[in-house]
Amino acid sequence: MTRKLTELTVVGDDKTGLIARVTSLLFDHGINIEDLDQAVRKGIFRMTMHVDAAEMTTTKDDLREKLHALGDELGVDVKVRFPADRETKQIAVLATKESHCVEALLQAWASGDLGADISVIIANHAALKPLADYYDIPFYDIGDEKGTPDEDAILSLLNDYDADLIVLARYIRILSPNVVFRYEGRIINVHPSLLPSFPGAAAYRQAIEEGVRVAGVTAHYVTTDLDQGPIITQRAFSVPDDAEVEDLQRKGQPLEADALLEAVQLHLNDDVTVHWGRTNLRDGAEGYQLGLPEAADAANPDRPIDGLANILADD
């Protein structure tokens, strides 16, 4: 069930007491804070809050006015999004050349299963434009002849399309802290390894070189630390003795799409929260396959476990 939480974002110059002033205003109006994420980078403060305003003791317009007035006083930008303000959230997809994750997202959107609109595809190559055109989605190639992206163009497009969520659908570039910091907690990436193993480029090749027997994929929130953001979903598969990189790609790509799509749906449904760098399911969240499928998990042995020596000693 989608939770009707209100989102607040605060961005601006760092000042002492910012958090206290905002949270005190919310408390005074009967608003409960569900989760809060804040950080400071190079003197710029960012805070994202999800709050339960269902029983607040004021009106939406009055709360907006007071928060905007507080923002003006403190010299920060405050945005408030009540659930009714955006019945359908807007997703911006970032991609490069690989189509499988983009295709999975577009199919889920076209079938009505995504629960959000894909408003734009932003890529650093033109390869996926035919796919975007087929689904009638605006497409922007912001890469130069080497595929180097124009991040000012990315930020401008994200603002123009008012993106609620940014999905990196095999976007083979590292987003700079300038982008990540502004949208942290609202960027989901899929990586072709069981993180924290094999971060960075060429993860499938690393898996083969290290001789792993089980490889996999991970969908995670993006932070300014490369491939170290909170893990949302993972999928695993066996690595044959004679596997080549292409073999792992064939096994992994459908799982990349599956893990990414589930992570997106978890986020859109407000069924996942992050605390101290770890994701947790909210109470009542059901029907997700965060890791191994139940059948695979059930096939694992459940004995022996520690404790037999203690039992014998008691006898």
Side-chain angles (χ1 to χ4, degrees):
M1 179 182 297
T2 301
R3 285 157 177 78
K4 302 298 184 181
L5 298 179
T6 296
E7 182 183 80
L8 278 71
T9 57
V10 181
V11 179
D13 293 338
D14 186 32
K15 293 181 176 65
T16 301
L18 262 175
I19 298 176
R21 293 291 301 277
V22 176
T23 55
S24 294
L25 189 153
L26 298 175
F27 176 79
D28 290 342
H29 291 84
I31 297 171
N32 184 56
I33 298 171
E34 293 285 334
D35 56 60
L36 183 156
D37 178 68
Q38 62 86 25
V40 178
R41 181 176 291 274
K42 295 183 179 179
I44 302 299
F45 172 86
R46 173 193 53 76
M47 176 169 66
T48 302
M49 306 172 66
H50 291 93
V51 304
D52 184 354
E55 299 181 5
M56 66 181 180
T57 58
T58 186
T59 65
K60 294 180 181 179
D61 289 341
D62 183 59
L63 182 65
R64 283 188 204 275
E65 184 177 336
K66 289 178 178 178
L67 283 168
H68 290 162
L70 179 60
D72 291 341
E73 177 188 342
L74 298 174
V76 296
D77 179 42
V78 181
K79 292 184 179 179
V80 186
R81 286 184 175 180
F82 291 98
D85 296 339
R86 177 62 60 77
E87 291 296 336
T88 303
K89 293 184 178 179
Q90 303 298 309
I91 295 176
V93 176
L94 269 62
T96 297
K97 294 180 178 180
E98 297 180 24
S99 66
H100 56 286
C101 287
V102 179
E103 182 180 353
L105 291 165
L106 289 171
Q107 287 178 348
W109 166 73
S111 67
D113 293 332
L114 189 59
D117 274 343
I118 297 176
S119 55
V120 63
I121 297 175
I122 305 169
N124 59 320
H125 287 279
L128 297 181
K129 188 177 187 306
L131 185 60
D133 289 346
Y134 178 82
Y135 283 92
D136 197 25
I137 301 293
F139 179 89
Y140 296 87
D141 175 6
I142 46 80
D144 62 15
E145 65 278 0
K146 295 182 180 179
T148 302
D150 180 346
E151 288 207 339
D152 287 337
I154 292 177
L155 286 172
S156 178
L157 288 166
L158 294 176
N159 183 67
D160 290 346
Y161 283 91
D162 199 15
D164 295 288
L165 176 65
I166 303 166
V167 180
L168 307 187
R170 296 298 289 139
Y171 179 66
I172 315 300
R173 288 286 176 168
I174 298 173
L175 286 176
S176 76
N178 188 42
V179 176
V180 174
F181 184 70
R182 294 172 184 271
Y183 289 92
E184 195 161 328
R186 290 192 287 153
I187 309 176
I188 294 176
N189 179 51
V190 65
H191 181 76
S193 80
L194 290 172
L195 292 173
S197 297
F198 312 135
Y204 286 142
R205 183 173 299 281
Q206 292 178 67
I208 291 174
E209 290 173 351
E210 294 297 328
V212 301
R213 292 297 184 179
V214 176
V217 306
T218 303
H220 64 98
Y221 284 112
V222 174
T223 65
T224 54
D225 297 315
L226 179 63
D227 293 333
Q228 295 182 43
I231 291 169
I232 309 173
T233 59
Q234 294 185 303
R235 302 288 188 268
F237 59 89
S238 296
V239 179
D241 289 345
D242 57 351
E244 301 289 344
V245 172
E246 293 76 13
D247 299 317
L248 267 61
Q249 288 175 336
R250 281 191 293 271
K251 282 176 168 282
Q253 285 181 352
L255 297 180
E256 292 171 20
D258 189 59
L260 179 62
L261 183 58
E262 181 176 71
V264 168
Q265 290 171 327
L266 276 159
H267 178 91
L268 292 173
N269 290 338
D270 285 324
D271 278 337
V272 64
T273 184
V274 179
H275 183 67
W276 293 108
R278 181 183 176 88
T279 58
N280 296 282
L281 289 182
R282 297 186 191 274
D283 291 342
E286 297 178 349
Y288 297 107
Q289 180 201 319
L290 302 182
L292 289 174
E294 290 185 5
D297 198 37
N300 287 326
D302 61 1
R303 295 184 62 83
I305 58 176
D306 286 347
L308 178 59
N310 294 332
I311 294 173
L312 295 174
D314 291 340
D315 291 344

